[in-house]
Amino acid sequence: MKGKLEPSVRQALVEEGKNLKEGLIFLEEDLVQLTDKLQLEAQSIPNTTHPDVPVGGEESSVVRKEVGSQKNFSFTIRDHLQLGKELDLFDFDAAAEVSGSKFYYLKNEAVLLEMALVNWAISEVSKKGFTPLITPEIVRSSVVEKCGFQPRAQNTQVYSIENSDQCLIGTAEIPVGGIHMDSILPDSDLPRKYVAYSHCFRTEAGAAGAATRGLYRVHQFSKVEMFVFCRPEESDKCHEELITIEEDLYASLGLHFKTLDMATGDLGAPAYRKFDVEAWMPGLDRYGEISSASNCTDYQSRRLGIRFRPSPADPAPKKGKGSSGPTQFVHTLNATAVAVPRLIICILENFQQEDGTVVIPEPLRPFMGGLQVLSPKTR
Amino acid sequence: MLTCGRFLSSSPSLSPLRNLNLSLLRRPHLHLLSSATAAATAAAATAVEPDPKGGAAKPQWKAAIDFKWIRENTDTVAANIRNRNSTANLDLVLQLYDEYLALQKEVERLRAERNAVANKMKGKLEPSVRQALVEEGKNLKEGLIALEEDLVQLTDKLQLEAQSIPNTTHPDVPVGDEESSVVRKEVGSQRNFNFTIRDHLQLGKELELFDFDAAAEVSGSKFYYLKNEAVLLEMALVNWAITEVSKKGFTPLITPEIVRSSVVEKCGFQPRAQNTQVYSIDNSDQCLIGTAEIPVGGIHMDSILPDSDLPRKYVAYSHCFRTEAGAAGAATRGLYRVHQFSKVEMFVFCRPEESDKCHEELITIEEDLYASLGLHFKTLDMATGDLGAPAYRKFDIEAWMPGLDRYGEISSASNCTDYQSRRLGIRFRPSPADPPPTNTKKAKGSSGPTQFVHTLNATAVAVPRLIICILENFQEEDGSVVIPEPLRPFMGGLGVLSPKTK
């Protein structure tokens, strides 16, 4: 319509333009709705899977490594609840009144034991180049979702705060993943490794049964978590590094455990590959999960918007948004260093003596003022 | 009036006088309705459950309030309420209490009459006489049901109003607002710096200790990540405090951080008030704790402690969560006012006659801790206008924060006497040698007299404020910070925080 036109020609064009504009507005609305629908549906597509991961349900998981063996006791053993009672370490009853079931107080040496596990883990892992972090435990629900969790699902594991879009974290993985949200990391910064200490809160909705007595399944616990941001081609190697750190930690405590390569039916949506460590808990007469190490490749970073700019020597990947050079999504990995309650179960049940005392693993003693044995209180 | 209808239908064979007596009884109910409305509007933000029938609100729990004592000491209570700027309505409480007593008497009288009628019906009677008695019994029963309902509503209203009456006050507490608080002790003095000092945010930035920006994205404002040596510093402060305090006979505890809202209320906090400091969990009666005082106070809820156990002293470590609703301004930048922080708290359950002494012990422990860190601080005896409802007496410690150019509160030690224990239901059984107390309460189902314990709480370390103090007071010209000696063994011997080379 630029330039001179006959009025009638101009009028016809104006009409046509108006119709096109209205049609466009409708279509653009449709496009927005369709994009949203596409996004919602697509978000639930799980991550790809490492070719070596066994296919099947939980029973198909494969043992990668086994350390130690089940100890033979020459006396009738106690479970951690009995030991805790005689050693005056826990109070579940008062916590049930004050807070509800699956809550607990730690008392006396159990407090020192928790602090020792946390201090020791941070100390050991930071020696390997991991930056220590203490994180927020309240986060926006969108960040929870971007990490692959579902705060609004029925039977969700996530506690939500009233009158707010905030939630409690179930793992430090969430605030640590979020620390580089919507960022482009310099290539020279990678791999960026964090060791993060936080309390974790889980509703454990839908979990019941005897196996959840005592400290095994609780709503609140302390955890030291390792988290890595790395280049795509490094994530398999980082995964191996993380699981090795875990295995070294638990071996040094003297625990007997198996490392499992989890089968496809047991991977969470974000995980490309997941190694779980299950330790022997004689009082419960079973192996119990004490840690999990996942390689989430770019599942979380595509949601959290975490990219890096490869150095010029690297091959050219995708163009990043609004940048002059190409960026790629980082890979993220997370791995439990210590989940305190389950390690307390392991320590109490494995290192108990006939008289109800418990021997403290050597690496922890310096963090407990040299204390070597937990002994029953004289009353 | 609607209820009078009941009595109009009563048997004509009943004496007119009895009718009159019964209808007179209904008047307190009318009176009650009007006072109930007044109460509803006057009520402070106390714990209420909305009554689904649309009637007056119900308290979720009952405090064992000594109404008799309040009635006998009205002037003291009234002056105390004024001095504390409390919104408690003493006149209403007294009025409701009198009505309660009167109504209770009436209920008992009706019960006695009903029993008398029931007794009369034993044995042989003329059918017409029996019929009359049955009618009378029925009327009495209906009247009784109505009055008992009134009594329940009245008791609830009384409880709600009375719960907001603040604790009594120690005679030495200065009367007035914050400015009337009195300095009890001063340790050290403001350091003279011969260079331009940095505040904790600048120091933290150069030493790579915090990240507020990422936390604002992930969680919101007033959240933060601690990084690198700040993590070691937090762990050191916690470990050191637990070690030092447990040496003095305090039992270490790690507590739940999610608790039932009723426990929060029983400790004297108000989760449902507007601008509440308390975070609530969705679809639940649970809240996040703002201090370990709550789960520790709750650990002996509804219990009778053996006398030999007292004083029972705990040192508890927890994270604390506070909405800080209504708090704003420059003084709240950085670590000074945050939504989540770590704290080591001391809590004592003791005999009433020991609580003043325990309060002195707690404040002394705090002063020793901060002096050993090398801080300059003042201990204040807080004035009546600045005491929370539960506190009989409160000592606050304010430490010098040169980067903020002000004194900032780093701890608080309160003697709550029996305010919390009357709500949490924590008693003890005095040993036989002790003199009988003035308010001997019989415990439920026990054979001897019990008393309410006294509770006290005091901050050992509140981590972020101590981090501010340490960074700002012990900074050097080059931006490094000297770590206080007592903390070094807990930081692997680290003596100085130095800026990172990049």
Side-chain angles (χ1 to χ4, degrees), chain A residues 98-160:
Chain A
V98 171
S99 307
S101 71
K102 297 196 182 68
F103 283 99
Y104 57 98
Y105 294 82
L106 293 183
K107 299 169 62 172
N108 296 308
E109 289 90 345
V111 172
L112 305 184
L113 190 50
E114 162 157 335
M115 307 296 305
L117 283 163
V118 170
N119 284 317
W120 167 71
I122 292 176
S123 186
E124 287 300 297
V125 176
S126 57
K127 281 179 195 164
K128 301 182 197 298
F130 287 68
T131 300
L133 272 186
I134 281 175
T135 78
E137 290 156 8
I138 293 178
V139 297
R140 299 181 200 273
S141 58
S142 54
V143 181
V144 178
E145 288 160 354
K146 290 173 183 179
C147 290
F149 300 91
Q150 292 172 329
R152 287 176 236 285
Q154 209 186 19
N155 269 5
T156 178
Q157 276 280 17
V158 182
Y159 284 102
S160 289

Side-chain angles (χ1 to χ4, degrees), chain B residues 363-493:
Chain B
I363 193 63
T364 301
I365 292 175
E366 291 186 358
E367 289 164 346
D368 288 348
L369 287 172
Y370 308 138
S372 75
L373 289 180
L375 301 183
H376 160 48
F377 60 89
K378 301 176 178 177
T379 309
L380 302 166
D381 198 346
M382 301 310 283
T384 49
D386 225 31
L387 297 175
Y392 172 74
R393 193 174 198 186
K394 187 160 90 90
F395 300 141
D396 278 7
I397 293 186
E398 300 191 348
W400 179 239
M401 300 177 173
L404 293 173
D405 196 32
R406 55 167 280 190
Y407 288 89
E409 181 189 327
I410 58 168
S411 88
S412 192
S414 296
N415 179 0
C416 297
T417 62
D418 63 356
Y419 184 97
Q420 294 177 327
S421 57
R422 282 177 178 274
R423 287 156 175 72
L424 292 165
I426 308 173
R427 298 172 169 83
F428 76 105
R429 197 179 301 285
S431 59
D434 291 345
T438 43
N439 299 315
T440 322
K441 288 231 172 331
K442 271 215 160 70
K444 279 199 287 226
S446 80
S447 51
T450 59
Q451 292 182 47
F452 287 103
V453 300
H454 279 198
T455 63
L456 301 96
N457 65 82
T459 324
V461 302
V463 171
R465 299 233 172 141
L466 284 184
I467 290 182
I468 295 176
C469 286
I470 289 169
L471 293 180
E472 296 190 350
N473 281 288
F474 306 134
Q475 61 179 296
E476 314 258 271
E477 187 162 11
D478 62 356
S480 59
V481 174
V482 177
I483 294 166
E485 289 237 30
L487 299 178
R488 296 181 191 182
F490 296 91
M491 292 178 74

Side-chain angles (χ1 to χ4, degrees), chain B residues 227-336:
Chain B
K227 298 170 61 173
N228 295 308
E229 289 90 345
V231 172
L232 306 183
L233 190 50
E234 161 156 335
M235 308 294 308
L237 281 163
V238 170
N239 286 317
W240 168 69
I242 292 175
T243 301
E244 286 302 301
V245 177
S246 58
K247 280 180 194 165
K248 300 182 198 295
F250 288 67
T251 300
L253 271 187
I254 280 173
T255 76
E257 291 156 8
I258 292 178
V259 297
R260 299 182 202 270
S261 58
S262 55
V263 182
V264 178
E265 287 158 357
K266 289 173 184 180
C267 291
F269 300 89
Q270 293 173 332
R272 288 178 236 282
Q274 209 186 22
N275 272 3
T276 179
Q277 277 281 18
V278 183
Y279 282 102
S280 288
I281 306 277
D282 226 359
N283 299 323
S284 166
D285 72 337
Q286 294 166 317
C287 307
L288 295 181
I289 62 171
T291 163
E293 176 189 340
I294 299 169
V296 180
I299 208 176
H300 294 306
M301 252 167 73
D302 301 320
S303 302
I304 302 176
L305 304 179
D307 183 71
S308 55
D309 265 14
L310 300 178
R312 195 174 266 213
K313 307 192 269 190
Y314 292 104
V315 56
Y317 165 46
S318 79
H319 291 177
C320 303
F321 301 90
R322 302 188 181 186
T323 64
E324 299 296 349
T332 64
R333 261 187 7 122
L335 288 178
Y336 193 81

Side-chain angles (χ1 to χ4, degrees), chain B residues 183-254:
Chain B
V183 176
R184 277 173 46 101
K185 183 173 189 149
E186 186 162 350
V187 172
S189 58
Q190 296 179 17
R191 178 177 163 190
N192 278 325
F193 291 92
N194 55 7
F195 55 89
T196 311
I197 58 168
R198 298 158 166 92
D199 71 4
H200 71 278
L201 281 171
Q202 268 177 290
L203 290 159
K205 191 166 181 161
E206 286 161 27
L207 293 166
E208 264 194 72
L209 298 178
F210 323 126
D211 193 332
F212 283 89
D213 295 334
E217 290 301 312
V218 170
S219 307
S221 71
K222 296 197 182 65
F223 284 99
Y224 56 98
Y225 294 83
L226 293 183
K227 298 170 61 173
N228 295 308
E229 289 90 345
V231 172
L232 306 183
L233 190 50
E234 161 156 335
M235 308 294 308
L237 281 163
V238 170
N239 286 317
W240 168 69
I242 292 175
T243 301
E244 286 302 301
V245 177
S246 58
K247 280 180 194 165
K248 300 182 198 295
F250 288 67
T251 300
L253 271 187
I254 280 173

